[in-house]
Amino acid sequence: MEEKVVGRFAPSPSGRLHLGNLFCSLLAWLSVKSRGGRVVLRIEDLDRARTTRAFADQLERDLEFLGLFWDEGGSGGGPHASYYQSDRSPLYEQCLAALEAQGLVYPCFCSRAQLHAAQAPHAADGEPIYTGRCRGLSAAEVRRRALARSPALRLKVPDETVGLIDGHYGPFSQNLARDCGDFILRRSDGVFAYQLAVVADDAAMGVTEVVRGRDLLASAPRQIYLYRLLGARPPAFCHAPLLLAPDGRRLSKRDADLGLDALRAQGLSAADITGRLAFAAGLLDRPQPASPEQLLPLFSWDKVPTRDIPLPAQLFR
Ligand code: GLU
């Protein structure tokens, strides 16, 4: 029997969703629903200082407005106790313990300034590649330093190339030691890191396909490595091109003028907006109104470009 496709929306409620987030959600929904699958909504609110419940509730309304309905999760819940990462620490603790049991976790006391030292090489995501400074600390040294500051926890990575065949971008690989470095599992303030939480949750929630912006392609090898260490099967990854503002900038949550409210204020309907997003994605020849349901028979990853897509200014403002 063919395995059921399970996709997900995994937004961070740190602001209103921008058109790029909605574009990616539309592709994730179409990719899963065109094969009869299910969509899980998980709210990635680990960083309580940067996320709010009000934004989480709002993003549900925005997805629903566009007709991007999910089958499980969010405020509606489902078989998992909670779909808010801020409630899911016991699972992350368990995963951390499993990695600790393999002798792969160590405390890191480095300050921000030390990490961002000018000479440090940077990874594809712009983060400095960790030099391994705290990797070899003795137990006594760890105890001594822990009196002064609480450490972050890092995963030791091997000098090994980990690759994947992305469903849209094709083969992609990184040498973990050279391109990523030992990465953070839990921050010094106790907040679990994205890499650990996303893998723990996608595995626990039975996600078989991850669709997200191509800016996260560089996280996939680290995540695949975590799947291996945790004894879970990685999902298929399919990264999507990014939507750019008409001037070529990356969209951010601060681009309120390119958000749903601004478009609705101009009188655009939900189908106008999804139709224009589908036109930008190469699924329609003209920017005509189309609901997600109507787009289903037209969807194919082959039509979606791999280069990033500047929003046609005349259509979105
Ligand atoms: N929560 C992440 C974001 O909003 C997405 C994580 C993922 O899709 O893996 O950027």
Side-chain angles (χ1 to χ4, degrees), residues 8 10-12 44 194 198 212 216:
R8 42 60 150 198
S12 301
E44 303 220 318
Y194 157 70
V198 82
R212 59 188 180 192
L216 287 171

Side-chain angles (χ1 to χ4, degrees), residues 103-310:
L104 294 174
V105 181
Y106 66 91
C108 169
F109 296 90
C110 291
S111 64
R112 267 193 84 71
Q114 284 166 329
L115 295 175
H116 288 263
Q119 73 279 17
H122 286 66
D125 57 10
E127 284 299 303
I129 295 172
Y130 188 56
T131 56
R133 208 162 160 267
C134 291
R135 211 191 225 228
L137 296 181
S138 67
E141 185 62 18
V142 167
R143 275 195 303 278
R144 191 184 67 74
R145 294 200 192 187
L147 297 174
R149 64 189 287 153
S150 51
L153 298 178
R154 285 187 188 272
L155 183 75
K156 281 183 199 162
V157 299
D159 180 5
E160 183 188 320
T161 297
V162 173
L164 67 146
I165 305 204
D166 184 77
H168 195 47
Y169 286 87
F172 178 77
S173 62
Q174 286 178 323
N175 176 290
L176 294 180
R178 188 193 62 218
D179 301 326
C180 308
D182 294 346
F183 60 90
I184 301 243
L185 299 170
R186 204 181 67 194
R187 298 187 337 202
S188 59
D189 61 3
V191 174
F192 281 96
Y194 157 70
Q195 306 290 2
L196 178 67
V198 82
V199 168
D201 281 338
D202 282 336
M205 294 175 177
V207 168
T208 66
E209 176 178 278
V210 167
V211 175
R212 59 188 180 192
R214 63 135 193 94
D215 51 334
L216 287 171
L217 179 57
S219 285
R222 273 171 285 181
Q223 293 171 4
I224 288 170
Y225 182 59
L226 280 175
Y227 275 95
R228 191 207 300 170
L229 297 177
L230 295 171
R233 191 154 69 126
F237 289 92
C238 213
H239 289 83
L242 303 178
L243 274 194
L244 305 175
D247 63 5
R249 275 179 307 115
R250 285 267 291 271
L251 289 178
S252 88
K253 288 190 166 134
R254 287 182 298 276
D255 284 309
D257 58 333
L258 290 168
L260 273 189
D261 283 350
L263 298 174
R264 290 171 76 174
Q266 291 169 36
L268 295 190
S269 69
D272 288 327
I273 297 168
T274 47
R276 289 174 189 210
L277 291 174
F279 170 67
L283 303 178
L284 290 175
D285 298 334
R286 287 182 300 117
Q288 74 221 43
S291 68
E293 289 285 342
Q294 289 168 331
L295 292 166
L296 279 174
L298 304 175
F299 176 75
S300 156
W301 278 107
D302 294 338
K303 297 181 185 167
V304 180
T306 49
R307 58 180 162 70
D308 291 344
I309 305 168

